[in-house]
């Protein structure tokens, strides 16, 4: 009976070589366990000082991505020390390459997902837009996995030039067929990231005005002032000029009023001060100027400019109403009147007036005489 020792050959390898390979695997396993028990927690605490969420992500990636990859790498290195057939070597190399790509892609997607979620946590303003995160992650995953798949095929010595060309032509054909849909989809992302408006904002775009109710993948819905719902494509909104009144921090008001020409100069000089006093006495207002601006056809025109420190239109109207009430009260106390369209005709003199009166009398006499003649004829 043959004695079995370290030099005994079994499947082209000695027992000693198998022992060394097994010892290498055990050593790698122990190193990973020691690192996991002592060093990983310390590293996690250190990273957690800067970002708790990133430390959780890092721990997950080490346990679920790096550890399995290290086990496979150790197994690969152990087999490299043994004499195996070409088929087994090729299988091991292929398996390690595919596993490396898969775990690398998973780690990359973990980081991308973390980054997108952190960005969404800072930028997201409505729960409805959470679906953008899902769509974005889905598109990113598709792109990354396609690149990984092509990388694996290329390393398998498979000609992928024709496949890439076919995918390119097919992609162009699909993009051309769904041009309008894709345009609206990309403009949806433009609206989300650029934030020209949010749900609840009151906007004016072209001849349309209303409050944003829903921002969809293809279109945006606006509730108009008259009550109906306007549905406008995202492309039309992105390409148009938009006035967003919700973003307005303060409202500049320019209004005017006219006084009659019979107002004395001394009282006219007091009017700007009265206007300033009224505006400064109100909350959420900032007075800018008040001037006697010009002589118009029927009034002495005053112009007033002030600011309302609130974007709410109702607040502005309440303030303007209070200004109008107070202005009328103060001007009545001052003894001046608001002007309205009037016209006064001044005749040249007494002689012209007498001549006009005489002409009117002659015309009246002629009319009466004609009336008498008509009665006789009848």
């Amino acid at each position: 009976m043959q004695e079995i020792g370290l030099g005994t050959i079994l499947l082209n390898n000695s027992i000693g070589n198998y022992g060394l390979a097994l010892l290498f695997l055990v050593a790698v396993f122990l190193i990973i366990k020691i690192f996991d028990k002592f060093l990983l927690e310390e590293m996690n605490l250190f990273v957690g000082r800067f970002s708790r969420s990133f430390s959780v992500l890092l721990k997950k990636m080490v346990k679920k991505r790096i550890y399995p990859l290290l086990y496979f790498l150790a197994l690969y290195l152990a087999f490299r020390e043994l004499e195996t057939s070409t088929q087994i070597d090729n299988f091991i190399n292929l398996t390690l390459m595919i596993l490396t790509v898969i775990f690398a892609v998973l780690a990359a997607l973990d980081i991308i997902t973390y980054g997108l979620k952190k960005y969404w946590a800072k930028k997201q303003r409505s729960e409805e837009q959470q679906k953008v995160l899902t769509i974005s992650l889905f598109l990113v995953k598709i792109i990354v996995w396609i690149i990984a798949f092509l990388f694996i095929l290329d390393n398998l010595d498979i000609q992928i030039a024709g496949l890439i060309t076919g995918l390119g032509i097919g992609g162009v054909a699909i993009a051309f067929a769904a041009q309008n849909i894709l345009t609206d989809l990309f403009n949806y992302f433009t609206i989300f990231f650029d934030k020209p408006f949010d749900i609840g904002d009151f906007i004016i775009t072209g001849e349309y005005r209303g409050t944003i109710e829903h921002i969809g993948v293809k279109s945006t819905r606006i509730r108009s002032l008259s009550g109906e719902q306007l549905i406008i494509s995202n492309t039309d909104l992105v390409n148009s000029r938009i006035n967003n009144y919700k973003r307005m921090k303060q409202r500049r008001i320019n209004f005017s009023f006219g006084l009659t020409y019979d107002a004395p100069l001394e009282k006219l000089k007091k009017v700007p001060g009265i206007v300033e006093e009224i505006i400064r006495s109100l909350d959420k207002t900032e007075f800018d100027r008040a001037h006697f601006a010009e002589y118009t056809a029927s009034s002495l025109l005053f112009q007033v400019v002030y600011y309302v420190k609130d974007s709410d239109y109702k607040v502005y109207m309440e303030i303007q109403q209070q200004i109008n009430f107070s202005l009328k009260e103060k001007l009545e106390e001052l003894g001046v009147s608001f002007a309205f369209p009037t016209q006064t005709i001044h005749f040249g003199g007494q002689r012209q007036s007498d001549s006009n009166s005489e002409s009117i009398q002659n015309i009246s006499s002629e009319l009466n005489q004609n009336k008498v003649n008509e009665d006789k004829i009848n």
Side-chain angles (χ1 to χ4, degrees):
M1 183 175 180
Q2 185 179 3
E3 184 180 353
I4 298 176
L6 295 177
T8 303
I9 303 300
L10 181 63
L11 297 177
N12 299 326
N13 293 280
S14 65
I15 299 297
N17 288 340
Y18 286 118
L20 290 175
L22 181 61
L23 183 62
F24 176 77
L25 291 177
V26 172
V28 171
F29 178 80
L30 291 176
I31 291 173
I32 292 176
K33 287 300 180 181
I34 293 172
F35 177 84
D36 184 70
K37 186 172 182 60
F38 299 103
L39 298 180
L40 180 61
E41 207 55 45
E42 292 296 328
M43 183 183 69
N44 193 44
L45 291 174
F46 177 77
V47 177
R49 297 175 185 174
F50 305 96
S51 175
R52 177 61 183 169
S53 59
F54 186 74
S55 68
V56 173
L57 172 67
L58 186 61
K59 187 175 182 179
K60 172 189 172 183
M61 289 178 59
V62 169
K63 285 181 172 292
K64 294 186 177 182
R65 309 292 184 241
I66 297 179
Y67 284 173
L69 192 58
L70 289 177
Y71 289 138
F72 285 116
L73 182 60
L75 188 63
Y76 169 77
L77 294 176
F79 269 97
R80 292 286 294 180
E81 297 299 323
L82 301 176
E83 291 291 336
T84 57
S85 63
T86 305
Q87 291 81 0
I88 295 178
D89 282 342
N90 292 336
F91 176 77
I92 293 175
N93 291 334
L94 176 61
T95 303
L96 181 64
M97 183 268 294
I98 294 175
L99 291 174
T100 302
V101 171
I102 291 175
F103 282 104
V105 168
L106 291 175
L109 289 178
D110 286 340
I111 296 175
I112 293 173
T113 303
Y114 171 80
L116 286 176
K117 287 184 177 180
K118 290 290 287 185
Y119 178 83
W120 252 253
K122 294 179 180 179
K123 298 294 183 180
Q124 184 179 341
R125 298 177 186 175
S126 66
E127 295 181 359
E128 185 178 352
Q129 292 179 337
Q130 178 66 22
K131 60 186 177 183
V132 177
L133 175 61
T134 305
I135 296 174
S136 300
L137 288 176
F138 178 73
L139 294 176
V140 169
K141 288 178 180 179
I142 289 178
I143 294 173
V144 172
W145 281 115
I146 288 176
I147 295 174
F149 179 70
L150 294 176
F151 177 81
I152 292 174
L153 292 180
D154 186 59
N155 281 271
L156 293 177
D157 295 330
I158 297 176
Q159 296 297 325
I160 63 173
L163 178 61
I164 294 176
T165 303
L167 290 175
I169 295 174
V172 171
I174 294 174
F176 183 78
Q179 181 179 3
N180 293 334
I181 296 176
L182 292 176
T183 301
D184 287 331
L185 176 61
F186 285 121
N187 285 320
Y188 173 66
F189 282 101
T190 300
I191 291 173
F192 179 80
F193 287 106
D194 191 49
K195 293 291 184 186
F197 50 79
D198 286 312
I199 294 176
D201 288 2
F202 181 85
I203 68 168
I204 296 178
T205 172
E207 59 181 358
Y208 306 110
R209 60 185 63 199
T211 303
I212 302 294
E213 281 192 342
H214 172 78
I215 303 174
V217 174
K218 190 178 186 303
S219 62
T220 296
R221 298 169 193 173
I222 303 174
R223 182 66 61 182
S224 70
L225 292 176
S226 54
E228 72 273 16
Q229 188 181 67
L230 304 173
I231 302 176
I232 305 176
S233 69
N234 293 331
T235 302
D236 291 340
L237 281 176
V238 170
N239 293 333
S240 63
R241 291 181 176 86
I242 298 174
N243 294 338
N244 192 334
Y245 284 89
K246 187 69 175 294
R247 305 281 177 85
M248 184 170 54
K249 295 182 179 180
Q250 63 180 11
R251 188 185 296 267
R252 184 179 185 272
I253 310 301
N254 185 347
F255 76 96
S256 59
F257 61 91
L259 302 179
T260 57
Y261 269 88
D262 60 359
L265 178 60
E266 294 78 11
K267 295 183 178 181
L268 289 177
K269 292 181 178 180
K270 297 179 181 180
V271 172
I274 292 175
V275 175
E276 180 178 357
E277 181 182 354
I278 292 173
I279 294 176
R280 291 190 184 279
S281 65
L282 300 175
D283 294 332
K284 297 184 178 180
T285 60
E286 180 181 341
F287 177 78
D288 185 32
R289 61 181 178 84
H291 294 95
F292 173 29
E294 60 177 310
Y295 297 92
T296 65
S298 59
S299 67
L300 306 174
L301 187 67
F302 285 80
Q303 288 186 347
V304 181
V305 176
Y306 71 97
Y307 293 91
V308 176
K309 297 180 179 180
D310 197 305
S311 61
D312 191 346
Y313 187 79
K314 186 177 180 181
V315 172
Y316 149 64
M317 287 304 300
E318 292 288 343
I319 291 175
Q320 185 62 48
Q321 176 179 256
Q322 186 60 42
I323 291 174
N324 292 337
F325 288 153
S326 300
L327 190 59
K328 182 170 178 57
E329 178 185 359
K330 295 294 183 180
L331 292 182
E332 286 179 353
E333 293 177 358
L334 186 62
V336 295
S337 302
F338 289 104
F340 53 89
T342 57
Q343 187 176 14
T344 303
I345 300 175
H346 297 276
F347 293 100
Q350 184 64 31
R351 183 176 299 176
Q352 183 177 355
S353 178
D354 294 341
S355 176
N356 291 337
S357 298
E358 184 178 352
S359 299
I360 293 172
Q361 290 176 357
N362 292 335
I363 293 173
S364 179
S365 299
E366 291 179 1
L367 292 175
N368 290 333
Q369 185 63 37
N370 291 335
K371 178 67 176 176
V372 172
N373 294 335
E374 289 178 0
D375 292 340
K376 290 180 178 181
I377 292 173
N378 294 330

